[in-house]
Amino acid sequence: MTTLFEDRVDAGRVLASHLQAYAGRDDVVVLALARGGVPVAWEVARALIAELDLLVVRKLGLPGRPDLALGAIASGGARYIDPKVLVASGLSPQQLEEIVETQSRELARIDALYRGTRKAVRIEGRTVIVVDDGVATGASMCAALMALREAKPAWIVVAVPVAPPGAQEWIGTAADEFVCAVSPPDFRGVGSCYRDFAPVGDEKVRTLLAAS
């Protein structure tokens, strides 16, 4: 598959060009999924002249198979569990809760680390654009959307630079709109679409949030 983006900054600029209908509106807020979505969302928020804030999501990996997503949790107590993966895993309810509890502690720590004393932006009644660096399984995005619905936004837009064909169906009615810059038929993972897909460090997240 051909590399689509130089890095997350490049991807953010490309994605922003697909979101110009939301530019300059005071009811729009851009929420970045930490950590990979932050550089992408920063470019989107800058282009749209919109507020930027953070939504922390933690993937729930299977014991011994951390690469396989059982589901995800997000700020605000939202939880998404893939029923098919759960059945196939053979995990007991107690084992599942232990995984959730461990990741919940880490989520709280990360949220405090990134946000510091910065207050969360107002969500209720606003148009929220949720940005990540791509969608693969959709687990993290589904958890994020569940958390957002509790905050009563007027409209939710999921915006990503790249996703596999059919990704919009996974998101379903959890979002009101799905915007994807590129959806390659030979999709083999989000990382393979970037020339530079190095991990985004904690300090980078803090710096971009402060700069917003």
Side-chain angles (χ1 to χ4, degrees):
M1 185 177 70
T2 304
T3 301
L4 301 175
F5 309 108
E6 185 64 31
D7 53 20
R8 290 180 177 88
V9 171
D10 178 38
R13 292 171 180 168
V14 173
L15 181 59
S17 69
H18 292 260
L19 294 163
Q20 285 305 301
Y22 295 100
R25 288 173 39 176
D26 59 10
D27 67 321
V28 172
V29 58
V30 177
L31 289 187
L33 264 64
R35 288 175 296 185
V38 177
V40 183
W42 196 91
E43 293 295 332
V44 170
R46 184 176 67 87
L48 301 185
I49 317 176
E51 285 188 274
L52 174 67
D53 204 357
L54 191 68
L55 187 60
V56 180
V57 179
R58 292 291 297 176
K59 183 177 74 173
L60 303 176
L62 286 175
R65 290 289 308 278
D67 58 312
L68 184 59
L70 171 65
I73 56 174
S75 304
R79 175 194 303 195
Y80 172 76
I81 304 296
D82 188 318
K84 293 182 180 179
V85 176
L86 178 60
V87 171
S89 71
L91 290 175
S92 68
Q94 181 179 353
Q95 289 174 311
L96 174 61
E97 289 308 314
E98 288 175 353
I99 294 172
V100 171
E101 183 179 344
T102 297
Q103 292 303 325
S104 293
R105 289 196 297 268
E106 182 64 8
L107 187 149
R109 183 192 71 81
I110 292 174
D111 193 71
L113 172 66
Y114 294 158
R115 190 178 299 281
T117 58
R118 175 191 176 110
K119 293 183 179 180
V121 302
R122 179 177 58 84
I123 298 299
E124 184 173 357
R126 303 182 72 182
T127 293
V128 180
I129 302 176
V130 185
V131 177
D132 202 357
D133 52 16
V135 166
T137 66
S140 295
M141 186 61 74
C142 284
L145 298 179
M146 289 170 62
L148 277 181
R149 286 297 181 192
E150 295 297 318
K152 300 179 181 179
W155 189 260
I156 295 178
V157 181
V158 169
V160 292
V162 64
Q168 185 169 2
E169 297 177 9
W170 304 344
I171 303 300
T173 57
D176 301 298
E177 184 179 352
F178 182 79
V179 176
C180 179
V182 187
S183 184
D186 58 343
F187 179 86
R188 295 196 302 269
V190 174
S192 64
C193 301
Y194 289 79
R195 189 176 305 279
D196 178 3
F197 198 63
V200 178
D202 294 341
E203 191 56 38
K204 182 67 173 180
V205 173
R206 292 167 60 89
T207 299
L208 288 177
L209 281 180
S212 70

